[in-house]
Structure formats: C-alpha cells, structure tokens
Amino acid sequence: MTDPEIAAALRNAVLLTVRLGGPVLGASLAVGLVVSLLQAVTQVNEASLTFLPKIAAVTAVLFLTGGFMTTSLIDYAHTVFTAIAQVGGT
C-alpha cells in the first residue's frame, strides 16, 4: 500500500468511528441536557436521576441504528481485510 492509500484507510476509519458513535453520543447528550434543565427548573438535585433516561435513549438509538452500524462495520472490515490480502499476496 502506498502512503495515500494508508491515509485514506485511516480517514475512513475515523469517519466510520464518528458515524457509529455520533448518534449514540448525540442522544446521550440531548437527554442529559433535557434532564439537567428539568432538574434546574424543579430544583431536584439527584445525581442518579439522569442515568435511567440516558440508558433508555442509548438503548433506543442502538436498536434503531444497529443494522446500519453492523452493515457499515462489516463493509469496512471487508475492505480492510481485502487490502491486507492484496498487500500480502504481492
């Protein structure tokens, strides 16, 4: 593999990481922000109150995007393993 091919593979790995982790982190951030605002408005200062809504939101996002995540990861792994086989074969 040449340097540009390696750089493209690393770029694709970073983009895949963002695509796979982004929805989960975004949902967790949004739910945490809403719960924090509700706690501030109601003056309920319970630290453990945020965990259950965050877990529910993350689980829902994983159920909704799990197929896409699995397909994306398998496609990337196939691409990487094919590139490794081509390097090893030459």
Side-chain angles (χ1 to χ4, degrees):
M1 291 181 80
T2 63
D3 287 343
E5 291 172 341
I6 294 171
L10 290 174
R11 179 182 171 274
N12 290 338
V14 170
L15 288 176
L16 181 66
T17 303
V18 170
R19 272 188 283 165
L20 296 182
V24 174
L25 292 173
S28 179
L29 175 70
V31 169
L33 181 65
V34 169
V35 171
S36 294
L37 286 173
L38 288 174
Q39 282 182 334
V41 168
T42 60
Q43 295 182 354
V44 175
N45 293 325
E46 181 62 35
S48 63
L49 187 63
T50 61
F51 293 119
L52 185 62
K54 279 186 184 179
I55 290 172
V58 167
T59 303
V61 168
L62 287 175
F63 275 125
L64 292 173
T65 61
F68 161 74
M69 289 180 178
T70 303
T71 303
S72 298
L73 195 55
I74 288 172
D75 289 344
Y76 181 75
H78 179 70
T79 303
V80 169
F81 291 143
T82 302
I84 290 171
Q86 289 175 354
V87 169
T90 59

